[in-house]
């Protein structure tokens, strides 16, 4: 270890001439207060493996870099001063200096094409004889048990997907399934489990190319509730091709339609290669049941989809036609089309069966979603499926079912009634696609799992091992499989990417070739040792850091000479801090859309025994919680949530919300509990209210505007007023509250970045009207009680510059007593949400223990950051430096940086880069920045590429 810091000292003091092997990407180590220290040259990569460990962090040059457009700030004379350089500047000047896109912030920027007309993709006509066709299990949710798997029905020129749960888009990116080839999406039910990935998928398709794309979406009649909800944040043009079928749900029993009229299959698609029909399934106690009428509730309707491929015509024998007195030409063609022809020569009628071999029936695939026992009663009695049962003798040519894919829950599939129903399909292959415990050990996202294993090896303190149960453990608690030995029909458990080939006919049957193998952790680590031998020493050093033995006398001397390398002044709030006080879990650290290595935004604030909060909740948040804490541990965390706070209405920050709320509702069913508090912008309320017509989310909503500092001051004043009144039912009580609100109106409006006369006054449309605290008063009281029970002093929202009604948030812990009885300030966490640098954020971050700041773009892309109202890495660090923040965590990285973002080393002495599933305990904040060089070393051989290229490939327009 001493030689390590000798080399570090040598590196700092060396004035050696630059090597001809030097990278163009130089690591700049300098004091924050000085710009006179020149960049230090890097050692050539070829020499690093023989160097002591701590010099390795300079090795960040990849084998190949993507060319990036550099900013022309200096050529234009734009000032590069930091916030700390001139603290006297007023807020408006500071804001204009940082630069922002006013139209985008005010919601008037239409450069995203939200008004364009989106077209369906036109496909070439397919030959039903020669086309390749199969069904394939897309294993979304198989390893996390959080959402329904999707099923792909594939043809050469068409794709059909059944169910679009959370994670579908990320799954397709991982496995290079081109979303642009999808023509139709069918929902077996309309709920968060089957449709959670739909909003993100629609937005991605809408952004393809100059024209954008749309897709046909099919589902039972309550699909309209989902569409109405999504209209609050998805352009109408992206949803014009949604089509629902079946009886409309109603809470009025008198309005229940005659369900008998929906008993027959409903044909949805009928083209050259497939006919897809929907057979409706509803609970036996819904609608008309023995003369009793009951209401059809949203979510009651389920669907059995029947996919029938056309028959293959038998071989035509021209010699037979000639014997019947027919001549080649139109007469032959008519016979091949299945029409009879009159032979003038023999004066007879010639039928196709006279000259052709018998036709071969096309394969039939059923997709069955039977969610409850009540649905099963209806399923068992469906007359519309009689044609497909093996014992059916009512027609000359019964339709033989080739494959049945069961999306039903394991509790239903394993029931005797269901297994007896399955046997009615004779020799059909049954694929059980419900959640099977054995799939937990095989991650569906292999790329991110591999990165997670490497990070865990290097620094298990920040990257704990996956919370998934081992196969042995899961088998102990797993129920008997539905495909046990008692089942006589052919039945197997679904596995990720399992195929069943439908055409060509000679290859019909199961295909396991694409099923991924179990990832052996030891193999991943062996590869890492071979690729980066120094990683062993790095892991040992990090272990010493956490055990208090990582700082030698030589290192302490170095830190005295270069004090900016280590922030040794510990904030008072961290004195004698306990490890069970706070943990920050970065569930999603990417921007825009889920990608191969990074999920979209979500942060779990783990307060351990006191519960937890979610700051933003992008698609796949529930799945990420299960990857971090395990299936059971994640359920406990969801049950313990006390609040979900949403920064703004963009889908990558909230589209996982409904799934989390629905999961919590189900977990707490029958247990006394309060509705979960959801805090967000008012557009989010419109979405949630519309969505709750589809399924109960068991939550109460609070507008972010009611949680700003000015609004909370009004609330506190009103609370004191109500406490001082002898009778809460007094007729003057509400008047008093209203008077407090009115007296504070000017203060509320003028205290924001968006007040009248401020750079963004049009943000509120009516800037003079503050939020009505009297309406939110009961919810604010509940929030105050909830915060106190969780050991929190305050949750305060503040406006930021990104889009209309975008916010950041401050979480402040309550004061505590140390071992000497001294009162210590609680920690303070600030989350920026998406924003440009702005004075409100800087002020809110003053003295923060941790600032979690978005850093979407690298420093050379400041123009793009301004255009999209995001921040660069350097800008984020400057905000933290200006506010005197103890530690800065950078997150929300562009897809350009798939594994580790590009950043300058300046000011990184108090900063860390976030990765998915990174878990930062508050007790580990002092050593956090010292891990960064080793994280960079872990990715030193990785190419820096734009992962949006991968995403574009997965959605690329078909040629």
């Amino acid at each position: 270890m001493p030689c390590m810091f000798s080399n570090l000292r040598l590196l700092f003091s060396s004035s050696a001439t630059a090597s001809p092997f030097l990278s163009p990407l130089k690591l700049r180590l300098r004091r924050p207060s000085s710009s006179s220290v020149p960049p230090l040259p890097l050692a050539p990569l070829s020499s690093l493996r023989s160097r002591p460990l701590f010099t390795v962090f300079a090795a960040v040059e990849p084998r190949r870099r993507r060319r990036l457009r550099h900013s022309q700030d200096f050529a234009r004379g734009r000032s590069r001063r930091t916030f700390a350089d001139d603290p006297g500047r007023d807020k408006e000047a500071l804001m204009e200096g940082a630069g922002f896109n006013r139209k985008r912030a005010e919601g008037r920027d239409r450069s995203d094409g939200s008004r364009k007309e989106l077209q369906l993709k036109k496909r070439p006509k397919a030959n039903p004889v020669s086309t390749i066709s199969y069904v394939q299990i897309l294993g979304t949710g198989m390893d996390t048990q959080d959402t329904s798997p999707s099923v792909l029905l594939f043809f050469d020129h068409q794709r059909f997907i059944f169910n679009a749960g959370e994670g579908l888009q990320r799954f397709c990116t991982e496995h290079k399934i081109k979303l642009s080839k999808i023509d139709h999406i069918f929902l077996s039910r309309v709920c968060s489990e089957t449709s959670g990935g739909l909003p993100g998928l629609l937005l991605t398709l809408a952004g393809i190319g100059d024209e954008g794309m749309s897709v046909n979406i099919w589902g039972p009649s309550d699909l309209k509730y989902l569409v109405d909800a999504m209209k609050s944040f998805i352009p109408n043009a992206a949803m014009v091709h949604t089509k629902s079928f079946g009886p409309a749900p109603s809470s009025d029993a008198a309005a229940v339609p005659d369900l008998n009229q929906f008993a027959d299959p409903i044909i949805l698609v009928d083209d050259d290669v497939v006919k897809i029909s929907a057979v409706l399934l509803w609970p036996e106690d819904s609608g008309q049941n023995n003369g009793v009428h009951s209401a059809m509730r949203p979510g009651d309707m389920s669907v059995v989809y029947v996919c029938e491929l056309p028959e293959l015509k038998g071989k035509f024998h021209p010699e037979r036609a000639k014997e019947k007195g027919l001549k080649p030409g139109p007469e032959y063609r008519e016979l091949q089309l299945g029409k009879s022809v009159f032979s003038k020569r023999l004066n007879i009628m010639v039928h196709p069966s006279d000259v052709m071999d018998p036709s071969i029936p096309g394969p039939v695939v059923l997709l069955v979603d039977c969610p409850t026992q009540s649905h099963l009663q209806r399923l068992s009695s469906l007359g519309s499926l009689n044609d497909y049962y093996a014992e059916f003798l009512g027609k000359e040519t019964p339709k033989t079912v080739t494959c049945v894919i069961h999306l039903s829950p394991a509790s239903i599939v394993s029931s005797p009634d269901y297994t007896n129903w399955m046997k009615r399909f004779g020799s059909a292959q049954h694929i059980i696609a419900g959640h099977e415990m054995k799939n937990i050990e095989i991650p569906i996202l292999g790329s991110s799992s591999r990165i997670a294993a490497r990070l865990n090896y290097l620094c298990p303190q920040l990257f704990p091992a996956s919370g998934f149960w081992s196969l042995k453990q899961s088998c102990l608690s797993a129920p008997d499989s539905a495909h046990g030995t008692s089942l006589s029909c052919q039945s197997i458990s679904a596995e990720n990417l399992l195929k069943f080939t439908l055409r060509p006919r000679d290859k019909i049957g199961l295909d396991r070739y694409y099923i991924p193998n179990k990832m052996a952790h030891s193999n991943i680590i062996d590869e890492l040792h071979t690729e980066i031998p120094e990683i062993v020493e790095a892991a040992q050093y990090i272990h010493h850091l956490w055990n208090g033995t990582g700082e030698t006398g030589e290192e302490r001397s170095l830190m005295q000479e270069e004090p900016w390398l280590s922030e040794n002044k510990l904030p008072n709030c961290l004195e004698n801090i306990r490890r069970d006080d706070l943990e920050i879990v970065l569930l999603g650290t990417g921007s825009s859309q889920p990608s191969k290595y990074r999920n979209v935004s979500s942060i779990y604030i783990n307060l351990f025994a006191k519960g937890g909060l979610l700051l933003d909740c992008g698609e796949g948040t529930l799945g990420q919680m299960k990857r971090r804490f395990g299936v059971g541990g994640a359920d406990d965390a969801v049950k313990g949530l006390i609040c979900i706070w949403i920064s703004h209405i963009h889908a990558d920050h909230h589209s996982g919300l409904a799934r989390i709320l629905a999961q919590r509702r189900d977990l707490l069913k029958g247990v006394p509990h309060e509705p979960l508090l959801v805090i967000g912008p008012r557009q989010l309320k419109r979405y949630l209210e519309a969505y709750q017509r589809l399924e109960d989310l068991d939550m109460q909503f609070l507008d972010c505007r009611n949680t700003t500092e000015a609004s909370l001051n009004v609330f506190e004043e009103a609370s004191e007023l109500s406490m001082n009144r002898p009778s809460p039912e007094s007729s003057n009580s509400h008047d008093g509250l209203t008077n407090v609100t009115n007296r504070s109106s000017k203060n509320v409006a003028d205290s924001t970045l968006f007040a009248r006369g401020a750079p963004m006054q049009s943000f509120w449309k009516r800037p003079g009207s503050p939020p009505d605290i009297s309406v939110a008063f009961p919810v604010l009281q509940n929030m105050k009680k909830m915060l106190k029970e969780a050991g929190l002093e305050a949750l305060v929202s503040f406006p930021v510059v990104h889009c209309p009604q975008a916010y950041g948030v401050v979480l402040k812990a309550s004061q505590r007593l140390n071992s000497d009885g001294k009162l210590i300030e609680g920690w303070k966490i600030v989350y920026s949400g998406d924003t440009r640098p702005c004075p409100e954020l800087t002020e809110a971050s003053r003295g923060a223990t941790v600032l979690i700041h978005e850093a979407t773009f690298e420093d050379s892309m400041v123009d793009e950051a301004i255009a999209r109202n995001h921040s660069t890495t350097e800008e984020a660090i400057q905000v933290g430096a200006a506010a005197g923040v103890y530690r800065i965590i950078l997150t929300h990285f562009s897809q350009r940086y798939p594994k580790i973002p590009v950043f300058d080393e300046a000011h990184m002495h108090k900063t860390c880069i976030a990765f998915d599933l990174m878990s930062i305990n508050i007790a580990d904040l002092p050593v956090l920045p010292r891990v960064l060089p080793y994280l960079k070393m872990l990715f030193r051989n990785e190419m820096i590429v734009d992962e949006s290229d991968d995403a574009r490939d997965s959605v690329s327009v078909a040629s």
Side-chain angles (χ1 to χ4, degrees), residues 42 64 181 219 251 288 310 340 385 415 439 582 734 839 904-905 959:
L42 298 182
R64 178 170 63 88
K181 293 277 191 176
S251 58
Q288 296 178 4
S340 298
L385 292 179
S415 68
N439 288 319
L582 167 69
H734 183 270
D904 192 342
E905 293 293 336
S959 56

Side-chain angles (χ1 to χ4, degrees), residues 876-896:
I877 296 172
Q878 288 174 349
V879 170
V885 170
Y886 177 62
R887 291 291 182 257
I888 305 167
I889 302 173
L890 302 181
T891 187
H892 196 267
F893 302 113
S894 167
Q895 292 183 59
R896 291 173 177 82

Side-chain angles (χ1 to χ4, degrees), residues 9 28 87 178 183 228 268 279 286-287 324 359 399 403 431 561 598 631 656 695 797 821 922 951 959:
R9 183 190 300 278
R28 292 183 290 169
K178 293 187 177 181
D183 297 283
D228 288 344
L268 308 178
V279 177
S286 294
K324 298 292 184 181
S359 296
K399 300 175 180 179
C403 178
I431 300 176
E561 297 175 15
R598 294 182 184 271
V631 174
E695 58 178 332
S797 304
I922 191 169
S959 56

Side-chain angles (χ1 to χ4, degrees), residues 840-861:
E840 260 65 12
L841 174 57
T842 305
E843 291 301 318
S845 303
R846 297 284 180 201
T849 316
V850 178
L851 168 62
I852 307 171
H853 199 300
E854 73 118 294
T856 308
F857 294 104
E858 64 177 286
D859 299 340
S860 65
M861 302 186 73

